[in-house]
Every structure is written in C-alpha cells, then in structure tokens.
Amino acid sequence: MSHKIEIIENHEIIIVTYEGIMTLEERLSSVHELCCNFNIFKRFKLLIDVRSIKQEMTNIEQEIFGKYIATKEEFNMASVAVLDNIEKPTDQIVTKEAAEMGYQIQKFNSEKEALAWLEN
C-alpha cells in the first residue's frame, strides 16, 4: 500500500490518502511520518481518505492501531475526518477502538462535507 500526505496550508488541514493494500506496518509508518514531519500547526486537522484501500489488517491489528492512535499525544486535540465507502466501510474497528479511548473522529462519504466539518 502507499500513502500520500499533503497540506492545505490556508486551512491548516492535512490530507492523508491511502491506496492499495492496507497493513498495520504501513499505517504505523504513516502516523510516525505525520508526527515527525507534519506537526507544524497548533493542532492536527486531518482528513484521512481510506476509500481506495483493500483492508488487509486483521481485526486484532485494527484494534491495536485504533488504541495506538488514541494514545498519541500529538493527536490529543486533533479533529479527524475519515472518508470511507458507505457500502463497504473499512475502518470500523479502528474508529471504534479510538473513540472508546476518547479520540475525536467523524466519518464522511463526501470530501466537501469532511472539509467543511474540519474548518469549523
């Protein structure tokens, strides 16, 4: 799987787009990259696009990843919008685990709606 990270600077929003096969290692790598190289704003406003991925993470790996991101200090005050497929959602377990640990996350199927939510 590959991921791309880009910034909408005038809105201080970071977009992470995933494509292909999603593994736990790739997801951990992208979080590390975000925290090390893109921690430039007062707080993270993230748009995570998982619409073009094939989920290869096991349920346990998804639980681990959800708990991991919820404990990252850099994400304590983050607003996170996840773009996902309505018909075939991919990050349900990750979202559930992160939310149970207090992580603020909202799912969308429209990029326009997700960006509007992040700008508020």
Side-chain angles (χ1 to χ4, degrees):
M1 178 187 82
S2 63
H3 69 273
K4 175 176 65 172
I5 301 175
E6 51 193 328
I7 300 173
I8 305 175
E9 291 195 35
N10 55 332
H11 297 280
E12 297 185 355
I13 294 173
I14 299 170
I15 300 174
V16 182
T17 305
Y18 292 103
E19 295 180 345
I21 297 172
M22 179 184 296
T23 65
L24 178 58
E25 183 178 321
E26 180 71 25
R27 292 293 293 266
L28 293 172
S29 173
S30 65
V31 169
H32 179 75
E33 184 179 349
L34 274 172
C35 293
C36 290
N37 300 330
F38 292 90
N39 193 2
I40 57 176
F41 302 120
K42 187 173 183 177
R43 70 181 178 93
F44 273 113
K45 288 194 245 179
L46 298 170
L47 176 63
I48 310 294
D49 187 345
V50 295
R51 295 176 293 182
S52 298
I53 60 119
K54 180 178 183 215
Q55 182 65 269
E56 289 289 322
M57 291 170 55
T58 66
N59 289 353
I60 292 190
E61 288 174 327
Q62 291 179 59
E63 289 176 21
I64 290 167
F65 183 69
K67 290 176 182 177
Y68 172 74
I69 60 174
T71 61
K72 294 297 289 177
E73 186 176 320
E74 294 89 344
F75 296 152
N76 281 350
M77 299 297 292
S79 296
V80 181
V82 177
L83 284 173
D84 204 350
N85 295 313
I86 291 179
E87 304 86 31
K88 192 177 174 185
T90 56
D91 261 0
Q92 290 177 312
I93 295 173
V94 171
T95 303
K96 176 184 166 281
E97 288 299 322
E100 284 179 2
M101 295 187 69
Y103 194 70
Q104 299 301 311
I105 192 167
Q106 184 74 29
K107 291 190 116 181
F108 296 90
N109 63 346
S110 161
E111 186 171 342
K112 183 178 179 180
E113 290 175 9
L115 288 170
W117 181 79
L118 286 169
E119 290 177 352
N120 289 329

